[in-house]
Every structure is written in C-alpha cells, then in structure tokens.
Amino acid sequence: MRTDIKLLHHTLRASLLPFSLLLLAACTENDYITYSADDNGIYFAGDTMIYSFSVTPVDTLTHVINVPVKVMGTLSDHPRTFSYTVERQMPSDSLQKLIYVPVNEDFVWAEESVQYRLPTEVTIPAGKTLGFIPITIYRNELKGNYYDGYQHYRLVIRLAANDSFTPTLSEKDQLRVVQFDNAIDQPAWYDAYGEKVWYKPELGEWHPYKLIKLVEYFHDVKEVLPETYVKMVALYGENLENVPYGDFHVYRTIFRKYIYARMYEHFNDPANRDMILARRRCCRMKRP
C-alpha cells in the first residue's frame, strides 16, 4: 500500500512539472502589467490646485502653474499631443468634495490672455508617462488688495479625446480645478489664548508688505547659513507659516542680524515707509 502511494505521488509530480514550468515562463516573460496600444488613457494626477503670489517678492510678476497629466498605456518613442478644454462651470457638489475644492469662497472666472495664458499645444514627452499643462498667470491682472479684499480666480480644465489619448478612470480624474490670487493675509501665528498675533516688538504694526520682505530675507539666510536655514525651515515652515506665539526666540539672534537689520534699512527708505503709512491712513479714513 505504501509503495502504491509513493508511486502515485511521483506520477502526479511528474505530470504537474511541465505545467509549473509553463506558469514560471509566463510570469518571468512579463512581470508587469502591459496595455494594448489601443488602450492609451490619460487622466489628471492630484486634486484642486491653489496658488497665491502671497509672499513672493513684489517684482515677481508671473508664475507658471504646472498641472500634472498622467498616461495609462504603452510608452511611446515619440512625443504625443493631448487635448483639453477650459470650462466656466463648477463640477457637482459631490464631485467638488472628492477633489477638495474650497467651499463657500467667492471667485470669478479667470479670463484667457488677461489673468492667464495657456500654450497652443501640450504633449507627453517620448518615453514618459507624465506631462504638464503650464498655466502662466499674471500678477498685475489679479485684482484686490489687503484693505479692500482680494479677488480669487478659477478655471476648470477637462481632458478631451484625440487621436493619441482617451480620458480614462472616473470623472474626477478627467477634470481639474485651478484657483489663484494675489492674497497676502496675516500669517496664522497664535498666542497661548488662541488669538492671532504679529511680533510687534521687532516688526511693528502688521502690514502685508512687511511679511513679503520678512520671508524674502528669511530665504536669503540659506546662502550664508545653509545648515541653520534647514533647521529653521523645519521649525517655522518654508514661508514662516508656523511660528509658535509669533516669536522667533530660538533663532532670535540670527533674525536680528540677517533679517530684522535688513528690514529696518529697507523701511527707513522714505519711499517704502511712506507707502505703508499712506495706505494705512487711507484705510483708516474709509472706516466709520
């Protein structure tokens, strides 16, 4: 009986061996998912894109928002053009939640060749699965200011089919909302009581232009103290978004030497100082 069982075992093993080798060959020949050349799909990667000139230097007048677009399908040895349309209609409320559109926020539709410009042709580079739609926005055409409020601009981009690609996946992956503005708000620095604060002992009264110069000079520390700059960014954020109690006490000496001193010099220039004072007087006169 034991001999019969052993014989049966060897017989099954021998009969299964060619099949197992066949499976092994099939797995090693293509160990990744491939697609037919007829299945080239295109979709957006990511959620709503929001940009503000905010604390960028005042002489920065343009910015390019690169909206990423991804390909599902075989790679190509040559660039391939893809198509899209610009819409002036927001997606449904349920879809807005999926792509994280800011809620209850006033905005206007951005105008082509006024607030922004798009290229005449966009492509996926040869051998790549990622491309971009570059949107150039113009700071001088973005309305609003700190005293009267800022205008937010939006556009909706939807992918379209052409000879090279077909939009794929769900609807939320076929459209992208882009919002931009020139807003400069007081940073979210809070005291122990949860009140927003501004470090008046060194910076004086809050003004958006002061924040622009503060961040600009902060970035310049990277050139003289690169290792310390990395530590400060880790603590405060790249644009000083997170400053506990609004006080830079951990690196106060560095701020006084490399940042505050330059700010004092800049705002001692009558043109810079008077510009802030004039706007402040104007703002006070408008209030009841």
Side-chain angles (χ1 to χ4, degrees), residues 17-157:
L17 184 59
F19 181 69
S20 62
L21 288 176
L22 181 61
L23 286 176
L24 180 61
C27 292
T28 56
E29 183 177 354
N30 289 308
D31 57 356
Y32 56 90
I33 300 176
T34 60
Y35 300 88
S36 166
D38 297 329
D39 293 332
N40 284 321
I42 195 167
Y43 62 100
F44 280 117
D47 297 311
T48 296
M49 300 187 70
I50 301 175
Y51 176 82
S52 177
F53 280 98
S54 185
V55 295
T56 57
V58 292
D59 57 353
T60 301
L61 302 181
T62 62
H63 176 76
V64 177
I65 301 174
N66 285 307
V67 182
V69 179
K70 301 195 74 173
V71 168
M72 178 182 294
T74 55
L75 297 180
S76 174
D77 59 0
H78 62 275
R80 292 174 291 175
T81 301
F82 63 91
S83 299
Y84 63 90
T85 60
V86 176
E87 299 182 349
R88 297 173 66 87
Q89 180 178 348
M90 291 300 296
S92 65
D93 292 343
S94 59
L95 194 54
Q96 288 186 45
K97 293 178 181 179
L98 293 177
I99 57 179
Y100 306 106
V101 178
V103 295
N104 299 326
E105 189 161 5
D106 294 334
F107 70 92
V108 297
W109 293 111
E111 295 289 341
E112 169 78 33
S113 300
V114 180
Q115 288 89 23
Y116 75 95
R117 185 178 296 276
L118 286 164
T120 56
E121 185 177 275
V122 283
T123 61
I124 300 293
K128 302 294 183 181
T129 59
L130 178 66
F132 297 93
I133 301 175
I135 306 173
T136 302
I137 58 176
Y138 301 101
R139 189 175 201 169
N140 285 344
E141 299 300 329
L142 307 184
K143 307 302 181 182
N145 56 63
Y146 171 68
Y147 303 100
D148 304 316
Y150 295 99
Q151 184 64 69
H152 305 285
Y153 297 85
R154 282 184 188 173
L155 65 150
V156 176
I157 302 176

